[in-house]
Amino acid sequence: MTTQLAGPHADEGAGAHRANRLGGAGVGRGFGGYRTRLLTSGRNAGPALLGYAAVRAIGVLIVLLWRHKHGESGLHRLSTMWDAYWYADIAQHGYAGSVPVPGPHGPYQAYAFFPSYPLLIRAGHLLLPLSISQAALLVAWFASLVAAWGIFAVGSHLYGRRVGTIAAVLWGVTPYSVVESLAYSELMFTAFTAWAMYAAVRRRWIVAGLLSTLAGLTRPTAVAVAGAVCLGAALALVSQWWRTRRGTMPSEERVAWWRPVVGGLIAPLGFVGFVLWVGVQKHSLTGYFKVQEAWQSQFDFGRSTVHSFRDILGTSNTLWMSDVVVAITLVASVMLFVLSILQRQPVVLVALSGLVLLLALGDASYFNSRARFLIPAFALLFPLAGALARVRTKGAVATVMTFAAVTSGLFGGYLAFVYTNSP
């Protein structure tokens, strides 16, 4: 048993495609070989990236056409709303120079936000003739394309190019996909996550560990990525030992034992390192978690989620449309998680989806952030992508995607300009 099992929805010829995924047989190693494989991979991902860019362009256009009652432009809103303010502030002033903002549960502080995204914003601002907010959008939108490419790579490797392409486009039309147009760190985080999973399913454990480390410098939910990589590496090591002992391990599948060990050990270093650094700055090992208390972000084993569902079902108070959409998204995600298991996805993907879903359901922060937390759980889309890939009616998939893009875009405009809290 390996961690690379393809599900029953694999397209015909997927095995042959995998053999030539990054350039085909005969491509040498070294810079020339890697460049050739990168270009070939980019060409293979072309339809997925074009489809993703098209549906996100629809969403952005709707936001741009949606004028706020005070005349605020769509681009300004996308680049400055809610968490985007903090990333821009860190990029401009650093953590020490950022001024805390008073809040009902304590001061909001920049130390709650991880450093890799604001660091790239700062680099873009210094290297290009862009303002901080413009650089923030550029980095985020570029990262979204890298993330879509990674989602395609994973889906294509496991189930064929058609499934990979549809999954990448589906990621761009989820109910909360407006976040994929914001100056938020979820896009960079998903990019690191998707490529870490791609490395893991191809048993490149050190690369998976390094990408997990980078994810850990981007968002706190990287504990899910690190957990998935560690679990996958451990199971791969045990499986290889057992199969080697029984004489059923092909020599071409063997991986040096120290590679999964090193990959698993380095996977959590980004998250752990930043949390310890904040602890040093705050003179307390729990300093990071105390900072998070201002946002009421702590794990309560789902109690607040249950209370929120109870309020939605029986409240006499004002009910926002976003509350209903988030509730439906959470229920649908649980169903898709079950389907992912039935699809026999690799262990690392199931672990990633399960841990991200656990964090989204178990966190005590306000209810509407939970759909955003699920954005990196892209493997939940593979069962749906597999089902759509089997539809052969001409134009049917394109019609579904277009309708989903418009619907998602309209809901994104609502979140940006009508809803009073952060998406």
Side-chain angles (χ1 to χ4, degrees), residues 64-128:
L64 293 181
L65 294 176
W66 195 313
R67 288 291 184 267
H68 190 262
K69 62 181 179 180
H70 298 301
E72 185 178 11
S73 71
L75 276 181
H76 181 266
R77 186 68 174 157
L78 292 175
S79 62
T80 59
M81 66 184 296
W82 302 106
D83 289 1
Y85 159 81
W86 288 100
Y87 293 119
D89 194 53
I90 296 168
Q92 191 165 12
H93 304 292
Y95 285 96
S98 180
V99 179
V101 176
H105 304 285
Y108 298 119
Q109 300 179 59
Y111 291 100
F113 299 89
F114 282 57
S116 64
Y117 179 47
L119 181 64
L120 285 185
I121 295 174
R122 178 72 174 177
H125 172 63
L126 293 177
L127 296 175
L128 300 171

Side-chain angles (χ1 to χ4, degrees), residues 4-14 18 155 158-160 163 338-346 382-387 389-390 392:
Q4 205 171 349
L5 292 174
H9 306 306
D11 287 1
E12 295 180 3
R18 293 174 199 153
L158 294 173
Y159 307 114
V163 174
V338 174
L339 291 176
S340 298
I341 297 174
L342 296 176
Q343 193 184 27
R344 295 170 60 197
Q345 288 186 8
F382 287 150
L384 184 55
R390 293 193 294 272
R392 298 298 176 179

Side-chain angles (χ1 to χ4, degrees), residues 189 191-200 204-218 222 225 229 266-267:
F189 177 69
F192 288 138
T193 299
W195 286 104
M197 294 300 101
Y198 179 69
R204 295 184 175 180
W205 296 110
I206 295 180
V207 175
L210 289 172
L211 289 167
S212 175
T213 296
L214 292 173
L217 292 171
T218 309
V225 185
V229 171
I266 64 178

Side-chain angles (χ1 to χ4, degrees), residues 16-17 39 61 75 92 131 158 259 287 292 313 377 400-401 409 421:
H17 176 66
L39 291 175
L61 179 61
L75 276 181
Q92 191 165 12
S131 66
L158 294 173
R259 291 184 177 275
Q292 285 280 25
L313 293 173
V400 170
M401 293 299 187
N421 286 319

